[in-house]
Amino acid sequence: MSAAEGPLVVGVDTSTQSTKALVVDAATGQVVASGQAPHTVSSGAGRESDPRQWWDALCEALRQCGDAAHEAAAVSIGGQQHGLVTLDERGEPVRPALLWNDVRSAPQARRLIEELGGPKAWAERTGSVPGPSFTVTKWAWLAENEPEAVRATRAVRLPHDYLTERLTGQGTTDRGDASGTGWWASGTEAYDAETLAHVGLDPAMLPRVVRPGEVAGTVRDSHDLPFSKGTLVAPGTGDNAAAALGLGLRPGAPVLSLGTSGTVYAVSRRRPADPTGTVAGFADAHGDWLPLACTLNCTLAVDRVAALLGLDREAVEPTGVTLLPYLDGERTPNLPGASGLLHGLRHDTTAGQLLQAAYDGAVHSLLGALDLVLDADADRSVPLLLIGGGARGRAWQETVRRLSGRAVQVPEAKELVALGAAAQAAGLLTGEDPAAVARRWNTAAGPVLDAVERDDETLERIAGVLSDAAPLLERSTDDR
């Protein structure tokens, strides 16, 4: 047995490229064991993964946790949002899952917006204007391009739902992840019958939406994971909502997350509905809202530029060059067919200046949405919480400080998605709000970097290039 003060819980983060598991002491927040295993994502026009890889990776991550995983009293899964998982009558994947960063459904997104009342109607109904990341557009793409797969589908799940169901045998989801589908109405907090009928999706194929604090189920007999039969399984949630729990966020505290994708978000008491589509009106995992803006190109894109230049990712130099690193298309701004764009190249331009320009372009996209995410009465002096894989990189930190003009706090806690899932699992045992559990664990503690004067010149230069290049960036890949 472990020397933990309280019961043990397991929090899982099944992300785009790997699955991580933490065994956490529910009393103190101490991580007593951890494990991680990778999965693959297809390249080319689409971004797909076999859901069975996520399960295998979860098994391996928990195996690495050793005996501590056997002692867990509750478990929760946090997962990448939006992914379309289609299952047959045996519960097996019909085809690989279409992931959030698969933008092939951009034409279907545009068509659905037009056919169901326009952007304002979508924002009022679902809280968001669907882009190609949203699950509803992926289902529409599948129906149009692979009708045989649709005919074979008996259940539709999100990534975290798939793993939760393999634990419990029951199809469940939560309001946070459901709010990213495009077929969950934020006003009624229920599946939207009109949208489902329009895309030909039987609501009986969707999982039950479990309420915050409710038990999704218990671990069943027929599985190969090191949990005892009857171990409590929490609702789980999407990765951003899980990270918000992991930080113990209070309304008005802004977060900038630097991962494969970049996100800015904050908890709000007000239901968001942005008709421009910049801000997604997501629900959070404990009854409030999580207005969020997301970019497709963040750390992965900048690292790719560094690799092309043969540079360490920290080898930046002050620059006047503009680089829009839209290597996978872009979501914010909404340019799904765009590619990267470089402007201002000179004979004396250095590789380090090009790399800094990639950082500037990635951060510019995120900061442009920050004021839209925050409520009008939010305190702008509150430090910007910097999380994700890039948060500890000096070049990322300094770029965010310079372009935001805000103080930046870097939490010392790692794996905040898995920690948020663990806090949700702990809440099942203690009856606490999971965010309060995370605050008790002091997960947001970390150094604060003072504000510096905002670099308005760079922001204006990037905005100007973006505006001037709009006709080029708006061309779809097929038009080039």
Side-chain angles (χ1 to χ4, degrees):
M1 296 290 289
S2 74
E5 293 182 21
L8 296 180
V9 294
V10 171
V12 174
D13 173 11
T14 181
S15 66
T16 313
Q17 299 180 60
S18 68
T19 292
K20 310 174 189 85
L22 303 181
V23 184
V24 180
D25 182 343
T28 65
Q30 178 188 359
V31 177
V32 300
S34 64
Q36 178 174 349
H39 21 88
T40 59
V41 179
S42 67
S43 57
R47 294 292 184 272
E48 302 180 355
S49 286
D50 184 344
R52 288 168 293 204
Q53 280 197 2
W54 308 335
W55 177 255
D56 292 342
L58 176 59
C59 293
E60 172 58 22
L62 286 166
R63 187 196 64 76
Q64 293 171 21
C65 292
D67 291 341
H70 288 272
E71 303 174 34
V75 57
S76 175
I77 310 289
Q80 55 176 308
Q81 290 183 260
H82 304 304
L84 175 66
V85 180
T86 50
L87 305 177
D88 63 19
E89 69 279 356
R90 297 173 295 114
E92 292 294 324
V94 171
R95 69 178 311 286
L98 297 169
L99 303 187
W100 60 274
N101 54 351
D102 189 320
V103 298
R104 287 176 291 177
S105 61
Q108 287 75 22
R110 290 191 293 268
R111 190 158 62 243
L112 286 174
I113 292 168
E114 294 171 1
E115 292 170 351
L116 287 175
K120 188 172 187 293
W122 271 95
E124 290 173 352
R125 181 190 295 117
T126 70
S128 304
V129 181
S133 294
F134 279 63
T135 324
V136 67
T137 72
K138 300 181 187 304
W139 176 260
W141 181 91
L142 196 65
E144 187 173 325
N145 291 275
E146 299 181 18
E148 69 286 353
V150 167
R151 286 193 294 270
T153 298
R154 296 294 177 269
V156 171
R157 301 290 185 260
L158 298 166
H160 109 259
D161 307 341
Y162 172 77
L163 293 178
T164 300
E165 185 168 359
R166 289 200 63 167
L167 290 175
T168 66
Q170 302 174 44
T172 60
T173 191
D174 89 301
R175 69 193 292 271
D177 221 359
S179 67
T181 60
W183 55 58
W184 185 85
S186 62
T188 60
E189 299 211 21
Y191 292 129
D192 187 73
E194 181 184 359
T195 302
L196 292 173
H198 188 80
V199 297
L201 179 55
D202 183 351
M205 293 199 295
L206 298 177
R208 178 175 70 90
V209 182
V210 179
R211 292 191 299 266
E214 185 182 347
V215 177
T218 57
V219 173
R220 57 180 174 166
D221 266 335
S222 54
H223 68 92
D224 53 358
L225 286 178
F227 293 127
S228 302
K229 178 186 175 184
T231 299
L232 297 181
V233 181
T237 192
D239 51 5
N240 290 297
L245 286 184
L247 288 164
L249 275 194
R250 298 182 188 276
V255 177
L256 195 155
S257 177
L258 301 168
T260 303
S261 65
T263 56
V264 286
Y265 56 85
V267 171
S268 176
R269 306 281 191 214
R270 305 182 182 102
R271 183 175 75 91
D274 175 15
T276 72
T278 301
V279 176
F282 295 146
D284 75 356
H286 62 60
D288 289 322
W289 302 95
L290 197 71
L292 177 148
C294 177
T295 64
L296 293 181
N297 299 278
C298 194
T299 59
L300 205 61
V302 171
D303 284 353
R304 179 58 180 153
V305 172
L308 287 171
L309 297 170
L311 294 179
D312 180 274
R313 65 182 61 150
E314 298 292 337
V316 295
E317 299 175 41
T319 187
V321 178
T322 300
L323 200 164
L324 304 179
Y326 303 161
L327 307 190
D328 287 318
E330 190 45 81
R331 174 169 164 175
T332 304
N334 185 24
L335 297 164
S339 57
L341 186 146
L342 175 64
H343 181 267
L345 191 64
R346 301 285 188 184
H347 277 288
D348 59 355
T349 300
T350 67
Q353 290 173 335
L354 291 178
L355 181 56
Q356 180 62 68
Y359 279 99
D360 289 350
V363 171
H364 174 271
S365 295
L366 288 165
L367 293 180
L370 182 60
D371 284 339
L372 298 175
V373 163
L374 290 169
D375 290 336
D377 56 357
D379 183 356
R380 264 53 179 178
S381 68
V382 173
L384 181 60
L385 287 163
L386 196 64
I387 67 170
R392 287 173 172 76
R394 182 178 175 277
W396 281 111
Q397 292 175 359
E398 294 306 311
T399 303
V400 171
R401 288 177 74 202
R402 178 171 51 82
L403 296 186
S404 71
R406 297 183 67 133
V408 170
Q409 183 170 359
V410 184
E412 292 177 351
K414 298 178 181 178
E415 309 302 349
L416 285 162
V417 172
L419 273 178
Q424 190 187 64
L428 288 185
L429 304 178
T430 66
E432 293 174 89
D433 175 356
V437 171
R439 289 193 290 271
R440 178 163 56 77
W441 292 349
N442 203 24
T443 53
V448 177
L449 309 176
D450 292 339
V452 298
E453 184 178 358
R454 190 171 68 178
D455 183 357
D456 289 323
E457 181 180 347
T458 295
L459 293 170
E460 291 168 5
R461 171 169 46 79
I462 296 172
V465 170
L466 182 57
S467 176
D468 291 345
L472 180 62
L473 293 168
E474 288 168 1
R475 294 180 194 171
S476 70
T477 304
D478 292 339
D479 292 337
R480 293 189 188 133

